[in-house]
Amino acid sequence: MRVIVVGAGVVGTMHAWHAVNRGHEVVQIERESEARGASLRNFGQIWVSGRAGGEELETALRARELWEGIGARVPGLGFRPCGSLTPLRTELETAVAEAAVARPDAAARGYRLLTADGARAINPALRGGFTAALWCERDAAVEPRTAQLALKQELLKSGRYTYLGGREVREVMGAASVRDDHGDMHTGDAVILATGAWLGGLVRELAGPDLPVRRVRLQMMQTDPLGEPLTTSVADADSFRYYPAYRSEALDTLNARQAQAPTAAEHRMQLLMVQRRDGGLTIGDTHEYEHPFSFDTVEEPYEHLTGVVESFLGRPLPRIRHRWAGVYAQCTDTSRVVHRQQVRDGVWLVTGPGGRGMTCSPAIAETTANELGW
């Protein structure tokens, strides 16, 4: 079988990975020289913690298993099973964590409620003030800026993989054939359109104007090296408000009685933080849903995040060396893990995982491969 994959972000690359590893030939086409979208502009978290129970959690846990196996084979991914901690400061926050730990699927997530000393035993860099922490053992991390490059280098070793960067697919020509903007035709047995947040142009022509996917913009930053290990990912209690695993009466009470900081509420913020292999910290994020998106980044969210991080670390944050915005595609029915649609004979669109893309992409691609009988 010959598979044409359009898009070299993490979703497209994982489709190429499964196809090649099942013995098929793959041509992957990317309109940039290398992917530059949300697959690089994220935390690199394999984030099991907050996933909704049922299909979403099952997908995340399967993806976590796949990431670990791929990471053992491709050290350049920087896979590490670091887990995550969410420090807690108030009784209301602790009550939400207690409700999470009482979930029937808590053991699958590796949830435990720790004392502050217990949390510091796992992550000594958290010297700031908090009273308890929610631990999720199944969370992990990879290096988002280099993961696709590492996967591509491994795929090239197969002899069944061709990468074509700097080419934009303009037209579907019959069954499982596409034409790029160089005028070249690429014909296979299946075409996977994994175009990320690029939802106009050819995607609109193929899927129609009512594609149930929206675009979401975020702001993030990265610091100079911290100078010590941050041994886990870190979230704040505002993350409880944004992830479905934490929905409970306790969360309703938190929302009613403990308001977010004004900046956090205005920009729909939570803290997520991961240490990169060079020691720097990736910190975010905001959520913007209304179009047209701003073309600039604003400073207040960065100031808010800096304050939250410093309060957990008990020390000043290193110099911020990168600030950026990104856009990802999210199913409007957020209970769906991804939007997978056959748009022509032999042509499938796979998009809209939202903030789950980095976490779930190996399992999303595996499901596509299984359903298509690769």
Side-chain angles (χ1 to χ4, degrees):
M1 177 180 287
R2 192 167 194 254
V3 180
I4 312 298
V5 177
V6 180
V10 69
V11 172
T13 300
M14 282 299 175
H15 279 82
W17 179 268
H18 281 287
V20 166
N21 282 279
R22 294 181 184 206
H24 305 305
E25 181 184 353
V26 170
V27 176
Q28 187 168 23
I29 306 170
E30 165 59 40
R31 62 178 179 163
E32 302 279 359
S33 59
E34 301 286 353
R36 295 174 58 83
S39 296
L40 279 71
R41 306 182 196 194
N42 67 78
F43 297 95
Q45 286 182 311
I46 315 306
W47 191 244
V48 175
S49 305
R51 302 301 169 205
E55 179 189 1
E56 185 176 330
L57 177 60
E58 291 168 5
T59 302
L61 288 170
R62 174 58 179 159
R64 167 67 170 76
E65 180 182 1
L66 290 168
W67 272 118
E68 186 164 11
I70 298 169
R73 180 173 160 187
V74 186
L77 288 180
F79 176 86
R80 48 204 182 274
C82 55
S84 73
L85 286 168
T86 303
L88 310 167
R89 288 181 168 142
T90 70
E91 291 182 0
L92 294 173
E93 294 171 1
T94 301
V96 177
E98 289 172 341
V101 170
R103 291 180 59 104
D105 55 18
R109 302 169 189 267
Y111 277 161
R112 276 194 294 145
L113 187 61
L114 305 178
T115 65
D117 286 343
R120 292 189 183 101
I122 294 172
N123 191 338
L126 297 176
R127 301 186 186 90
F130 57 95
T131 58
L134 179 64
W135 164 245
C136 182
E137 182 269 337
R138 295 302 292 160
D139 290 335
V142 296
E143 292 299 294
R145 292 185 181 229
T146 58
Q148 276 70 248
L149 296 174
L151 289 167
K152 183 177 80 170
Q153 292 306 310
E154 187 67 22
L155 286 166
L156 286 168
K157 295 177 184 178
S158 70
R160 298 189 305 277
Y161 172 79
T162 301
Y163 180 85
L164 300 174
R167 293 173 180 247
E168 183 173 323
V169 170
R170 291 289 181 85
E171 189 175 4
V172 170
M173 307 286 289
S177 296
V178 299
R179 180 183 63 82
D180 67 27
D181 59 358
H182 291 215
D184 293 334
M185 290 283 296
H186 308 277
T187 300
D189 300 288
V191 174
I192 303 298
L193 300 175
T195 56
W198 175 44
L199 302 175
L202 179 64
V203 173
R204 183 179 291 114
E205 291 175 12
L206 294 171
D210 299 321
L211 183 68
V213 178
R214 65 178 176 178
R215 300 168 78 236
V216 182
R217 182 180 185 267
L218 54 81
Q219 285 186 207
M220 294 174 60
M221 63 183 178
Q222 189 166 328
T223 73
D224 281 343
L226 181 63
E228 63 179 318
L230 186 78
T231 55
T232 72
S233 299
V234 176
D236 73 350
D238 277 343
S239 67
F240 292 160
R241 307 174 197 265
Y242 290 98
Y243 286 102
Y246 305 118
R247 291 172 186 160
S248 63
E249 291 184 6
L251 179 61
D252 293 340
T253 302
L254 174 73
N255 286 330
R257 295 174 53 189
Q258 182 176 312
Q260 281 188 284
T263 297
E266 178 184 357
H267 296 279
R268 301 177 176 92
M269 296 180 67
Q270 61 184 344
L271 168 71
L272 297 176
M273 176 169 61
V274 183
Q275 189 171 46
R276 304 271 63 94
R277 288 198 293 185
D278 70 354
L281 304 176
T282 298
I283 301 170
D285 63 347
T286 64
H287 300 87
E288 183 178 354
Y289 302 103
E290 292 77 24
H291 290 229
F293 292 142
S294 305
F295 64 85
D296 50 6
T297 59
V298 292
E299 192 63 22
E300 289 82 2
Y302 295 116
E303 294 171 349
H304 169 78
L305 289 169
T306 297
V308 174
V309 172
E310 290 182 346
S311 72
F312 286 154
L313 296 178
R315 53 167 286 185
L317 196 63
R319 182 182 70 95
I320 298 171
R321 61 179 176 183
H322 300 298
R323 304 173 193 262
W324 68 89
V327 177
Y328 60 78
Q330 179 186 63
C331 293
T332 51
D333 177 1
T334 55
S335 68
R336 297 177 59 187
V337 174
V338 73
H339 179 73
R340 187 182 289 105
Q341 176 185 352
Q342 185 172 359
V343 293
R344 291 290 188 274
D345 288 345
V347 182
W348 284 264
L349 173 66
V350 184
T351 188
R356 297 168 290 215
M358 202 69 178
T359 295
C360 293
S361 55
I364 288 170
E366 181 181 59
T367 298
T368 303
N370 292 340
E371 290 184 357
L372 272 57
W374 291 359

